[in-house]
Amino acid sequence: MAEAANGCDNIVGDNSAAEKITVKTRDFDEIEISEKEIITFPQGLFAFEEEKRFILLTPLGEGKSPVWLQSTENPSLCFIMFSPFEFCPDYRVTVPDEDISFLEITDHKDAAFYVIAVIPENNMDSTVNMKSPVIINTANRLGGQVIAAENYPIKFPVFAKEGE
């Protein structure tokens, strides 16, 4: 079983001696990245199984949320993600080994956890999916989305409502 640990490490690419490619992004125009920065999702993401290659953009700086998970092939496909620990400091996820074996995680410190946000027109109504986190192996740059055994909400509010 894999378990989330507090402290979402940021994904930082090694730009040394790697071929550069240009990626068209949804929110940041075109950017040049190293091939080594690409995160491969062998099984894609839920509802986007055909999309396999993404980059993680950190416009607010390393270790800060939100982050953008941008497809390298489809400029319009981009997910805004947060560390689940921002909303639930004791966030713990239990996932059967067979559901994440493809990530090849050998040290739990290499597992970075994120939750995908849904940001409607009124951004104060934004939610994150705490039930289906994205896990990225920072050592080999493999990623996947899983369903947690725990009873976390699919629509957890990002902002507290007045009186709550």
Side-chain angles (χ1 to χ4, degrees):
M1 300 277 186
E3 193 172 275
N6 197 348
C8 183
D9 294 329
N10 196 4
I11 309 299
V12 178
D14 174 7
N15 292 328
S16 60
E19 187 173 325
K20 299 281 188 177
I21 63 169
T22 300
V23 176
K24 289 183 180 181
T25 71
R26 182 187 72 189
D27 299 329
F28 304 104
D29 295 320
E30 288 186 353
I31 59 169
E32 188 173 273
I33 62 150
S34 162
E35 285 268 356
K36 290 183 178 184
E37 292 180 70
I38 294 173
I39 302 163
T40 302
F41 286 75
Q43 300 174 354
L45 294 167
F46 298 152
F48 299 94
E49 289 81 5
E50 69 287 348
E51 297 288 338
K52 310 285 189 200
R53 293 165 40 102
F54 291 84
I55 54 173
L56 199 63
L57 304 174
T58 57
L60 300 180
E62 292 181 31
K64 301 210 180 193
S65 289
V67 299
W68 277 245
L69 186 65
Q70 174 67 57
S71 167
T72 61
E73 308 297 323
N74 180 350
S76 64
L77 184 60
C78 182
F79 300 95
I80 296 177
M81 303 191 305
F82 290 84
S83 165
F85 306 107
E86 290 187 31
F87 309 103
C88 182
D90 58 348
Y91 186 72
R92 289 273 186 252
V93 176
T94 306
V95 182
D97 288 336
E98 60 268 15
D99 289 352
I100 60 163
S101 60
F102 69 94
L103 294 176
E104 302 172 6
I105 296 170
T106 56
D107 185 339
H108 75 277
K109 292 177 184 165
D110 293 333
F113 288 76
Y114 296 95
V115 289
I116 295 177
V118 174
I119 303 174
E121 189 172 324
N122 179 358
N123 65 350
M124 295 306 290
D125 292 331
S126 297
T127 61
V128 290
N129 182 348
M130 301 289 279
K131 181 71 173 175
S132 301
V134 170
I135 305 173
I136 298 173
N137 182 337
T138 60
N140 64 12
R141 307 195 65 74
L142 290 174
Q145 189 174 20
V146 299
I147 298 174
E150 292 76 10
N151 192 25
Y152 287 112
I154 293 172
K155 292 184 176 184
F156 185 87
V158 171
F159 302 105
K161 301 280 186 198
E162 187 84 25
E164 289 182 10

